[in-house]
Every structure is written in C-alpha cells, then in structure tokens.
Amino acid sequence: MSVRRSTVIFAWLLLLPAVLYVTVIVAYPLVDTFILSFTDASLKKTTNWVGTANYEKIFNGTFAQVIIRTFVWTAFSVAIKMIIGTFGAVMLNAAVPGRALFRVLTMPPWIVPMAIGIFMWGWMYNGQFGMISGMLQNLGLVDGPVAFLAHGSTAFWATIITDVWIGVPLVTLYLLASMQAIPQDLYEAAWTDGAGRFYRFRRITLPLLVPAMITMSMLSLIATFNSFDIIWILTQGGPNGDTTTMIIDTYRTAIGSKKYGEGAARAVLICIFLSIFCIAYFRVTHRLASGESR
C-alpha cells in the first residue's frame, strides 16, 4: 500500500465519526421529514401518499400570515438585540471605573435558566399583580390594570422584549470580544492625529466589527426564527393566534393535532427558509473575505 493511499484512508477514518454523526443525526431526520411531508401520516394505522396536498393546504390557509408574522417577529427581535448589544459592547469596552462589574451584570439574563426567566417576565406582564402594570398605574400613565399578554398587539411586543432580554448578553459579549481583538495601535495612531472618539468608532471600530456583527446577526436570526420556549410559555401563540410563529404552528399541527404529515410540510418550509438565510450569509462573508484579500 502506497503512502498516499494510506494517508487518504487514515484521513477518512478520522472523518468517519463526523460523517456518521451528520448522517444519523442530521441527514436521516431531514430526509425522513421530507418524505413524511408528502403523506397524510397521523395517529391512524395506515399512511397514504398525498403528494403536494399538505403544501397546498399551507398556502391556501392562514399559514401565509404566520410566515409574515414570523419574519416580522424575527426582524424586530434581531435588530433590537444587535443595536443594544453593539451599544453595550462599546460601553463595556470603554475605560470607565467599574467596568468589570458592568460586565458581570450583563450575564444574569444568559445565566438564568430560560424557563425561569420567561416565567419571571410572564409575572411582570400580569395585569393584576405584575410589576410593569403597577408602575404604569403609579405613574398615572394608565387608568387601570394592563394585561399585556391578553391583547394581540401588546402580547406580540411583550414576547419580543423577552427574547431581546434573553439574547442581548450573548450579542454583547461576542461583540465585546471582537472589539478587544482590534489592534490598539490603530486607535493610538488615530488619537495622535487628533481623531475624536466618534470618528475612531466610525472609521476603525465599526468597519472592523462588521464581520463579527454579520456572524452574530446570522446566529441570532436562526435562534430567533426557531424560538419556541418564549412564545409558548408566555402566550402559547395567543391571543387569537397573534403571536403564533412558524415553529409554534408546526408544533400545534404535528404534536397537538397529531397531523404528522402536515407538520412535516411546515418543518420543511422552515428548513428551506433557514437554508436561504445560510446561503445569503455565506455569500456575504465570502464577498467580505474576497474584499479583504485584495
């Protein structure tokens, strides 16, 4: 056996665990879900092939509104997290007294178990004994109790605020780490030339932070698009479906109504949307890398 051939075999042996993992954990469930989406699988004993009927039901029903609501929910949540996270990273990176304490204080929303944090927000949103409603009444901004989760518009924004509270620490710490990787020589040279703080941020920090911001936006987008716990614990998709996103609707269809075929079709659409996001992300990062290499 030649050295080259033995090297190739050894390389494939090293890759074998990863290949098995992707095949068993990722590829097989995806293929099985795709096939299932073309059937009428449910709790009944027989499963029939129905072709594209499940997809036709999706687009002929109210699922289009669910798709739009999911994109709006995700866009607002990710945008707010990125804005607050960027601002927080800049503040934590500044040379101010007590900076280490401020960094520690950013961690609780991320450290606290998600379910406990969501239940805490649900208590604060309560109209009868919630802290937010009580503060608004004490300030004279409202005349009576406000049940934020009982009305569609307020419940929608309440779930976004909760998601932002949970996701901001990760965004802040990721961008903070990226900022600290920027060479200090660039800031010292700009400071020597008389550049102000805002100019240094606009011309040095922000351009060098763009790749990290794009990566964090993509990771946050995927996590937010697939977010289930926050909405389900707070509203279960209500009231009147005003906070129902694609993942909630998929759960209700596949698990709640036991319509596995229709639920699989919804899951396939979620995978398609996320794949499009990933392709767009890789194209953007490739362009950035190509531009930097020139």
Side-chain angles (χ1 to χ4, degrees), residues 73 81 107-122 159 162-168 170 223-224 226-234:
W73 193 84
K81 279 187 282 189
M107 297 299 293
W110 195 29
I111 296 175
V112 173
M114 183 179 293
I116 295 176
I118 298 170
F119 277 118
M120 179 192 71
W121 277 98
T159 56
T162 306
D163 183 70
V164 169
W165 180 81
I166 293 174
V168 160
L170 178 61
T224 305
N226 283 323
S227 181
F228 175 83
D229 299 1
I230 295 172
I231 296 177
W232 187 256
I233 293 176
L234 287 178

Side-chain angles (χ1 to χ4, degrees), residues 154-223:
T154 54
F156 181 82
W157 286 103
T159 56
I160 289 179
I161 292 172
T162 306
D163 183 70
V164 169
W165 180 81
I166 293 174
V168 160
L170 178 61
V171 176
T172 301
L173 294 177
Y174 185 86
L175 296 182
L176 176 61
S178 301
M179 285 183 184
Q180 293 181 336
I182 299 175
Q184 292 299 314
D185 296 344
L186 298 176
Y187 294 106
E188 293 175 0
W191 181 80
T192 303
D193 292 337
R197 186 185 299 272
F198 179 73
Y199 182 87
R200 295 197 300 270
F201 174 78
R202 184 169 59 89
R203 303 293 293 182
I204 299 176
T205 305
L206 196 57
L208 296 178
L209 201 62
V210 166
M213 294 177 68
I214 294 175
T215 300
M216 192 66 249
S217 298
M218 186 62 198
L219 294 175
S220 180
L221 187 148
I222 293 175

Side-chain angles (χ1 to χ4, degrees), residues 63-141:
F63 195 70
Q65 298 178 3
V66 175
I67 295 176
I68 295 173
R69 186 182 300 113
T70 303
F71 275 87
V72 173
W73 193 84
T74 302
F76 275 106
S77 182
V78 172
I80 295 172
K81 279 187 282 189
M82 292 305 301
I83 293 172
I84 297 177
T86 303
F87 180 78
V90 172
M91 294 295 102
L92 293 177
N93 193 48
V96 295
R99 180 173 58 176
L101 176 61
F102 294 148
R103 292 180 180 179
V104 173
L105 293 177
T106 62
M107 297 299 293
W110 195 29
I111 296 175
V112 173
M114 183 179 293
I116 295 176
I118 298 170
F119 277 118
M120 179 192 71
W121 277 98
W123 172 80
M124 290 194 297
Y125 290 139
N126 189 279
Q128 298 299 322
F129 52 81
M131 183 182 68
I132 299 176
S133 178
M135 290 178 59
L136 293 176
Q137 292 180 69
N138 292 334
L139 294 173
L141 298 178

